[in-house]
């Protein structure tokens, strides 16, 4: 199960070393060989769709791709991780799915999501150790990329659903600036928070993928680290970090510093601590409206945790919601102000490595704030625990500075890759 | 076809003068009697849904309601005004539809929309003169309220699709602050612009309706006009206003002034003229992505005008879109700054009265800017042309000041109602 690097695959297809047909056939074999154990996919595309994709043109022709089952697909059922939607077949592809098809990507199937991208775990396991969660809610997308089944995949993040599974599975995860990627045709949980994101093996891969999908210039140029100021962001929620995550952060910081970057400790401003708390209120209130039909008429078909979250949202007053939105607005301003003194922040992608459990997808506490503020975040893979489980760190930049986030993350990834102290182990 | 005033209807139901059953029966009779000629509805609700609504509780019990066929309904097909979606049956109600049902409203059916809320006219006619357009894209909702078939209806506005049909049909139309009402389950055209809105007979009715749906305090209190500063907003696009609309604006201004308000001329700042132009770029670019599936795989099923708009959007570069978004952001700041010197703006709701044509829904040029800036807008009915066709003027307030917009609009409506010079004629 060798991960499929998009940059390398496209070079191979371009040179003729690999045909698009062979690339897709190999990916399908990887799924056939391993997905019964891994559970990354909930549904595979019909043959007609695969044939149509290979007959199409576009820069992503021959690229095997996965789509979280929270995005609508016209050629496959879309169940949002809920038994309520068993067999549900949308009329149209989600906007991002249509973009991927337009660029020639082959969508091999739908990847597992937690229930409505909330908390109830999907059946997916972590490719690095099947007893561990892959994280959530974009569980299947992160696992499928890590396990060498696809070169890229779509995910979505309302609290921590892209960055956390990317970290747990040891792949690059990119949560773009809020609304850089369209969420049309993605099942809504909270419209002020829901952010479409991407997974690929490395940072350069996820940057190239996004560039090809959107036509934006996101190529990761070499960043002269000597000119960079990196903030080590410190907040009260750091108290729950595992010792291994603290060490991983220190390693990343040390490597950046030895490459010439200037590192500064930044204590969390009060406005951002308040914004993190506001994220929950916004999520609950909007979730109760967005899933109003399911909540009102199919309460029994929801998991207890989701039912309780929607109850909490429905009990939240418009005044409390408006107060949370004001705190969010102040938080966004405070987040922007952070970048007056630094170019990027280095933050943990999660509290630690993936918990050894399939009953939880882990805690999104390290991600909630940056989802609310909408800043671009890139999970950088390459660090591991002593037991070989991936540990992710995140590069955060100013809103709209996605290219910088990707470039700095790619640089850090290269430093980790070349460092003997931080070698990633491959998946099982 | 006497319009159904929500405030009066709820008082009658409350006092027992009208039963919820009788209210709904009367509305159904009005539809039976007139909708063959008017074409406000494209689909009526099944009996089971009507019975369920009348068996429910809630403050809107017995209130006949219409839902633009751009909002998903689980109990009825939802076709978005496009033959592509013939018979399409969504799994879930749109968030607003679920909110209306939760409050006990009886949704009598789906009202006509232009194709995907874009330009191709629906089959609806103007209840004041069947040879005239009712406006669009929320054609059926405005007409159904004007014709006394429902007490309230949902619409949506991406350029001018709530305010313009409300003006053409002589009813109150309310476009709330951007994202005050959820758009989940509403077919997306442009996610930065799409705004859910409401129609009712009078301003107090639309305010009460929104308050009951959202739990927000929007009751229209008496505004002491002596303390109010009203801006007469003047822009280059005013050159296309009809003489009758100029007169209507002058009448509204004179009445406000004689009631004690201070009126000031406000020339459009350059940033807002640029923002109006940017609205088209944002609409086209996002539309091509939001309708990417339809555009890519069902081009032949789109009207020529929509196909051309999506082609234009697909040909727009991300740089051009980003530049338009920057102009939009500057425009929002400039719009907020307007309210440093005035409490509200008085602007035309359209270039004039409804054109005598069923081939066009009229021009949204007077509405584009305020959709982009997201300010609350309320169409005030009560003025007419010499021939008796409605002319609408709009009250605009600062973002988030929806209650003020509704209160000032209600006051102006009352002034018009009591004025011999501006008597509205009833619908035919």
């Amino acid at each position: 199960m060798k991960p499929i690097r998009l940059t390398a695959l496209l070079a191979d297809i371009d040179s003729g070393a690999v045909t698009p047909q062979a690339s897709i056939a190999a990916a399908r074999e990887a799924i056939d060989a391993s997905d019964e154990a891994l559970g990354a996919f909930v549904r595979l595309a019909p043959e007609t769709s695969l044939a149509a994709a290979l007959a199409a043109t576009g820069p992503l022709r021959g690229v095997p791709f996965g789509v979280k089952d929270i995005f609508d697909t016209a050629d496959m059922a879309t169940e949002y991780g809920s038994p309520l939607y068993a067999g549900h077949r949308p009329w149209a592809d989600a906007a991002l799915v249509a973009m991927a098809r337009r660029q020639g990507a082959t969508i091999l199937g739908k990847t597992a999501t937690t229930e409505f991208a909330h908390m109830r775990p999907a059946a997916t396991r972590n490719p690095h150790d099947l007893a561990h969660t892959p994280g959530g809610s974009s569980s299947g997308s992160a696992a499928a990329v890590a396990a060498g089944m696809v070169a890229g995949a779509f995910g979505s993040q309302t609290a921590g659903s892209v960055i956390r599974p990317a970290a747990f599975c040891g792949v690059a995860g990119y949560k773009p600036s809020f609304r850089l990627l369209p969420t049309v045709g993605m099942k809504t949980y909270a419209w002020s928070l829901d952010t479409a994101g991407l997974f690929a093996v490395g940072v350069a891969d996820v940057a190239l993928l996004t560039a090809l999908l959107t036509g934006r210039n996101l190529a990761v140029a070499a960043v002269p680290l000597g000119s960079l100021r990196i903030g080590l962001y410190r907040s009260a929620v750091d108290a729950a970090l595992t010792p291994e995550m603290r060490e991983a952060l220190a390693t990343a910081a040390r490597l950046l510093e030895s490459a010439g970057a200037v590192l500064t400790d930044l204590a969390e401003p009060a406005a951002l601590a308040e914004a993190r708390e506001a994220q929950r209120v916004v999520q609950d209130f909007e979730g109760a409206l967005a899933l109003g039909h399911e909540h009102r008429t199919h309460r029994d078909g929801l998991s207890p945790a989701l039912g309780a979250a929607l109850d909490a949202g429905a009990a939240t007053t418009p005044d409390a919601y408006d107060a949370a939105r004001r705190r969010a607005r102040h938080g966004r301003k405070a987040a922007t102000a952070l970048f007056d003194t630094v170019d990027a922040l280095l933050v943990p992608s999660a509290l630690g490595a993936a918990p050894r459990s399939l009953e939880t997808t882990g805690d999104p506490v390290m991600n909630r704030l940056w989802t609310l503020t909408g800043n671009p975040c890139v999970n950088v893979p390459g660090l591991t625990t002593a037991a070989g489980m991936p540990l992710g760190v995140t590069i955060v930049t100013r809103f709209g500075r996605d290219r910088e986030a990707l470039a700095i993350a790619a640089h850090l990834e290269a430093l980790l890759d070349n460092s003997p102290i931080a070698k990633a182990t491959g998946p099982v």
Side-chain angles (χ1 to χ4, degrees), chain A:
Chain A
M1 282 210 281
K2 191 168 171 294
I4 308 167
R5 285 197 181 272
L6 181 70
T7 42
L9 174 62
L10 289 181
D12 284 349
I13 290 175
D14 203 41
S15 72
V18 174
T19 64
Q21 288 76 10
S23 162
I24 298 305
R28 294 180 73 188
E29 280 162 28
I31 294 172
D32 287 348
S34 314
D35 205 45
E36 200 174 318
L38 194 63
F41 282 86
V42 291
R43 207 163 301 113
L44 295 178
E47 290 294 333
T48 48
S49 296
L50 303 179
L54 281 169
T57 55
L60 293 175
R61 182 158 176 257
V63 173
F65 207 82
V67 172
K68 182 181 183 182
D69 203 27
I70 211 82
F71 291 91
D72 286 348
T73 45
D75 62 340
M76 281 176 270
T78 302
E79 298 182 348
Y80 313 132
S82 165
L84 294 177
Y85 281 85
H88 169 66
R89 180 77 168 274
W91 196 93
D93 285 335
L96 269 178
V97 170
M99 289 162 76
R101 294 200 207 269
R102 193 183 288 271
Q103 302 306 327
T106 297
I107 295 169
L108 287 182
K110 304 300 286 288
T111 59
T113 175
T114 62
E115 179 192 27
F116 296 118
H118 191 248
M119 285 162 40
R120 182 167 68 186
T124 315
R125 292 158 179 271
N126 193 307
H128 294 269
D129 183 333
L130 299 178
H132 292 239
T133 178
S137 63
S138 309
S139 316
S141 285
V145 168
M149 296 170 174
V150 291
F154 290 135
S156 65
Q157 174 157 323
T158 303
S161 290
V162 167
I163 296 300
R164 179 164 99 268
F168 287 178
C169 291
V171 299
Y174 167 38
K175 181 191 79 68
S177 290
F178 189 58
R179 294 207 182 88
L180 184 84
L181 297 180
T183 56
V184 180
M186 194 177 105
K187 182 72 173 164
T188 304
Y189 197 100
W191 55 87
S192 302
L193 301 168
D194 291 352
T195 308
L198 300 111
F199 299 90
V201 176
V203 175
D205 303 302
V206 85
L208 178 62
L209 178 59
T210 313
L212 292 174
L213 287 171
T214 62
R216 290 177 179 278
N217 178 5
L218 293 168
V220 291
V223 187
L225 279 186
S227 67
L228 277 185
R229 302 159 301 165
I230 308 279
L232 294 169
Y233 190 75
R234 312 287 193 186
S235 76
V237 292
D238 292 350
L241 293 176
T242 65
E244 291 179 312
M245 178 53 84
R246 291 171 196 278
E247 205 175 309
L249 283 167
T251 301
R254 201 161 53 240
L255 287 170
L256 287 165
E257 200 157 34
S258 54
V262 178
L263 275 83
T264 325
D265 267 32
L266 277 183
E268 178 163 84
L272 286 170
E274 284 173 26
R276 186 184 292 105
E277 290 309 306
Q279 190 275 346
R280 291 169 184 273
V281 181
V282 171
Q283 178 175 317
D284 284 351
F285 183 90
E286 295 185 357
L289 292 176
L291 296 171
H293 178 79
E294 291 83 354
H295 190 210
R296 199 177 77 89
T297 61
H298 296 82
R299 181 72 168 73
D300 292 350
L302 306 175
S303 69
L306 178 57
L310 299 184
D311 290 345
T316 301
T317 64
D319 281 351
Y321 171 63
D322 289 348
R325 287 200 299 173
R326 272 193 299 276
R327 288 198 296 274
R329 204 164 54 241
H330 297 152
R332 287 182 197 112
K333 283 185 188 158
T336 295
L338 290 175
F339 299 100
D340 291 344
T341 56
V342 298
D343 298 298
L345 305 177
L346 177 68
V347 303
S349 295
L351 292 175
R356 186 180 173 83
S357 167
L358 300 173
E359 306 301 314
T360 173
T361 62
D363 192 326
V365 65
M366 301 313 299
N367 319 112
R368 285 184 189 279
L369 174 61
W370 312 114
T371 313
L372 184 79
T373 58
N375 292 76
C377 290
V378 183
N379 177 66
V380 181
L383 290 151
T384 62
T385 66
M389 291 301 289
L391 284 164
V393 296
T394 295
I395 295 293
V396 187
T397 54
R398 189 190 285 261
F399 184 86
R401 298 281 174 85
D402 292 64
R403 194 178 173 196
E404 285 79 348
L406 290 160
I408 296 168
H411 201 126
L412 173 57
E413 183 187 42
L415 293 172
L416 292 170
D417 212 34
N418 296 325
S419 159
I421 55 168
K423 214 64 209 152
T425 60
V428 292

